[in-house]
Amino acid sequence: MEIVLKSNDVINKLLINKKIDILEGIFSLYSIKIPLDDGVLLFNQITNELIFFHDDKDMENHKDILIEKGFYVGIGVDEKKKYDQIKKIMKLKNEKKNYINTYVVLTTTACNARCFYCFEKKWQEEVMSEKVANDFADYIISHQHGHEVSLTWFGGEPLMNVRAIDIISSKLKHHNIKFKADIISNGYLFDEEIINRCINEWNIKKVQITLDGSEKIYNHIKNYKNIGNAYQCVLKNIELLLKKGLVVVIRLNVDLYNYNDLMQLAKELYNKFHKYNRFYVYSKMLFGEKYSIQQNQDKRLQAFINLQNYLYELGLFKPSNIDSTFRINSCIADSDNGFVVSPKGEISACDNYSGIEIISSIYRDEFDKNIILSWKEPLAQFKECEKCFLYPSCKMLNKCPAEQGRCSERYKGELEYNIKMKAYHTYMNYKKENKNDI
């Protein structure tokens, strides 16, 4: 037996049972068993503890330890109720923050591409003015209360309004505000001058670029306005970014129509960029009503899993390690210290609803508490939740546009895959660090 990741001590104290009560207990619904070529992993979704065993006999020999660590529970224990109680306690311990330091900033809703799946297609084109950019910088300064600020430049295509990025970044630096930034872009508008500004003026460390397929499919889906071979231009820009030392993350939007092509693209990206150690690729299934209700959900899920596994084999997909932190929030939408800012300076909870469900503005300090609370509501409880082994890891919000109030097989399948992949990756990193001990 090897403890790959220790449990969260606070959660462990809340979860622990008297040994005598569960000596004849049953395997916890929330303990996930992951078979490996060299053994088996056990992952506790509540304590985040990860343990490696050489085989089932090794596991059985350490059952007393697994009982103490909450991998087994007493017969008749309501695990869901117990987890809900722990979550409630942890929320109370997590004091409300009195600062705002995380922003997703839409410099513009305009874009030089015309992707058919874009959720912003029906939005009116808006561009952040110099005045709003200046005022937003002032807002950041007055609300960060000494904490490092994190900015994500978003759009539209954020590089269609570099003036706003210039103004905000410059003002923060002038006032000695510590900040870091990343940008989500289609990658077409980068050049050497812009990249130098990313590094020297905008404090950008990471660039995310979406590729929907290899050359022919990419150019067709992006459907750029009056632009030639955008695909080759974006690949050239990716190399420029990598040569300058920036982290580049490529997102592949996968569905049945482009799955085979993306498998070929993965190999092409490996051949071209694998020599750069700051180059990463991951895939994501498209979401929304059109995709949530269509048939072949199992085939869509399998296409996603196959592509992710292939990217992992190539060394391009590098999931984060599991950590012992007990997650309270799902995303920026239900956090207390992060918001989305529209080109007009309107503040929203979710970038999918920027400028629609307005909770405040950079020009006032009052917030619409009802809308804020509505974004904190978890996905409505279903009967299936009572016996769902993924329940502790499910952080879906009721208003999340990804599922629109439903618990789909796509979501559950993707969640299960991501949990197991993170556990496996954590174990593989542990093996590298402790190669003489296992």
Side-chain angles (χ1 to χ4, degrees):
M1 184 189 88
E2 294 283 344
I3 296 178
V4 178
L5 181 68
K6 292 182 179 180
S7 65
N8 182 308
D9 289 338
V10 175
I11 303 301
N12 207 37
K13 289 175 183 177
L14 294 172
L15 184 67
I16 197 166
N17 293 282
K18 291 182 179 179
K19 191 172 181 179
I20 193 171
D21 292 335
I22 59 170
L23 199 55
E24 298 301 324
I26 58 173
F27 196 64
S28 168
L29 177 65
Y30 302 145
S31 296
I32 297 180
K33 187 177 179 180
I34 307 167
L36 304 173
D37 291 338
D38 57 345
V40 61
L41 286 174
L42 281 188
F43 175 56
N44 188 315
Q45 293 179 84
I46 300 179
T47 66
N48 283 341
E49 185 154 24
L50 184 65
I51 305 178
F52 169 78
F53 296 92
H54 294 281
D55 49 37
D56 287 343
K57 185 178 180 180
D58 186 20
M59 192 186 309
E60 186 63 30
N61 290 339
H62 293 91
K63 187 175 179 180
D64 57 336
I65 295 176
L66 293 176
I67 288 171
E68 290 178 3
K69 291 177 174 294
F71 285 88
Y72 282 80
V73 297
I75 297 173
V77 169
D78 188 334
E79 292 193 71
K80 179 179 177 296
K81 182 178 180 181
K82 193 159 192 175
Y83 171 75
D84 286 339
Q85 290 171 341
I86 291 173
K87 187 175 180 180
K88 188 175 182 179
I89 292 170
M90 294 304 291
K91 280 190 173 182
L92 292 173
K93 285 178 173 287
N94 188 44
E95 296 181 4
K96 184 177 174 63
K97 300 176 176 65
N98 65 347
Y99 60 89
I100 304 172
N101 72 330
T102 303
Y103 300 91
V104 174
V105 188
L106 281 74
T107 64
T108 178
T109 56
C111 188
N112 52 344
R114 293 170 288 187
C115 307
F116 71 88
Y117 56 76
C118 182
F119 63 84
E120 298 182 23
K121 282 192 298 183
K122 296 180 180 179
W123 290 10
Q124 181 180 349
E125 287 194 2
E126 297 173 349
V127 179
M128 184 176 284
S129 68
E130 292 189 9
K131 180 183 185 310
V132 172
N134 268 297
D135 293 341
F136 175 49
D138 290 335
Y139 185 90
I140 294 172
I141 293 165
S142 63
H143 287 78
Q144 48 88 27
H145 295 182
H147 294 269
E148 183 180 23
V149 172
S150 176
L151 301 171
T152 296
W153 302 111
F154 192 51
E157 169 50 50
L159 292 180
M160 290 185 72
N161 187 11
V162 296
R163 181 61 181 149
I165 303 175
D166 278 335
I167 291 170
I168 295 164
S169 302
S170 176
K171 199 163 195 177
L172 293 180
K173 285 195 169 185
H174 178 74
H175 287 271
N176 296 316
I177 301 299
K178 188 176 181 182
F179 74 98
K180 59 184 179 181
D182 56 71
I183 186 168
I184 299 174
S185 167
N186 58 42
Y188 183 80
L189 294 175
F190 284 106
D191 56 30
E192 191 144 356
E193 180 193 352
I194 291 292
I195 294 171
N196 286 335
R197 284 156 81 177
C198 284
I199 298 168
N200 301 322
E201 301 172 26
W202 301 345
N203 287 7
I204 286 177
K205 308 296 182 186
K206 182 179 75 173
V207 178
Q208 177 173 300
I209 295 172
T210 298
L211 295 178
D212 298 289
S214 58
E215 189 167 332
K216 185 177 180 180
I217 288 182
Y218 175 86
N219 286 332
H220 175 72
I221 291 175
K222 287 300 179 189
N223 193 20
Y224 283 95
K225 303 172 184 176
N226 303 317
I227 291 174
N229 193 332
Y231 178 80
Q232 292 299 331
C233 177
V234 171
L235 290 189
K236 181 192 73 174
N237 291 342
I238 289 171
E239 186 134 39
L240 282 174
L241 290 161
L242 291 167
K243 284 181 176 179
K244 290 287 187 176
L246 286 161
V247 173
V248 177
V249 178
I250 303 299
R251 169 171 165 156
L252 306 180
N253 287 329
V254 61
D255 212 312
L256 296 179
Y257 73 89
N258 68 345
Y259 162 67
N260 289 327
D261 184 70
L262 288 180
M263 293 290 278
Q264 295 176 31
L265 175 62
K267 185 63 175 177
E268 181 181 348
L269 293 174
Y270 171 81
N271 290 336
K272 193 169 183 65
F273 300 120
H274 79 277
K275 62 184 177 182
Y276 297 101
N277 59 12
R278 296 186 178 186
F279 181 72
Y280 306 93
V281 186
Y282 76 101
S283 68
K284 193 75 175 174
M285 284 186 282
L286 292 170
F287 64 80
E289 187 172 354
K290 175 182 176 182
Y291 303 98
S292 298
I293 63 177
Q294 73 174 11
Q295 296 178 347
N296 297 320
Q297 289 295 333
D298 54 339
K299 290 183 179 179
R300 293 183 72 230
L301 177 61
Q302 195 57 53
F304 160 76
I305 291 173
N306 290 346
L307 180 56
Q308 286 284 78
N309 285 342
Y310 185 49
L311 292 169
Y312 189 79
E313 289 171 13
L314 292 174
L316 301 179
F317 170 49
K318 299 173 184 176
S320 58
N321 284 342
I322 293 170
D323 63 48
S324 59
T325 305
F326 188 89
R327 274 189 65 193
I328 300 293
N329 302 110
S330 173
C331 60
I332 193 172
D334 65 334
S335 71
D336 292 322
N337 64 315
F339 295 105
V340 179
V341 179
S342 79
K344 291 182 177 179
E346 298 160 331
I347 294 176
S348 303
C350 174
D351 51 54
N352 279 253
Y353 285 81
S354 176
I356 300 174
E357 285 208 343
I358 300 167
I359 58 178
S360 188
S361 164
I362 63 172
Y363 297 106
R364 66 176 190 269
D365 282 330
E366 298 79 19
F367 286 82
D368 188 320
K369 294 181 180 178
N370 290 329
I371 296 180
I372 289 177
L373 289 174
S374 73
W375 274 102
K376 292 181 181 292
E377 292 177 7
L379 189 67
Q381 296 283 297
F382 300 101
K383 186 177 180 180
E384 292 84 354
C385 295
E386 298 289 337
K387 299 298 179 182
C388 180
F389 75 97
L390 295 169
Y391 183 72
S393 296
C394 178
K395 300 293 188 290
M396 182 63 72
L397 300 175
N398 196 47
K399 293 177 71 171
C400 180
E403 292 303 323
Q404 297 146 352
R406 293 184 292 266
C407 180
S408 70
E409 293 303 314
R410 178 203 69 82
Y411 172 69
K412 289 189 288 187
E414 188 173 354
L415 180 59
E416 179 182 356
Y417 172 82
N418 287 335
I419 292 169
K420 291 180 176 179
M421 178 54 81
K422 287 181 72 171
Y424 176 74
H425 188 66
T426 303
Y427 169 66
M428 294 304 291
N429 284 336
Y430 174 83
K431 277 184 71 174
K432 288 178 185 177
E433 296 169 4
N434 303 272
K435 56 185 176 182
N436 296 323
D437 298 331
I438 295 183

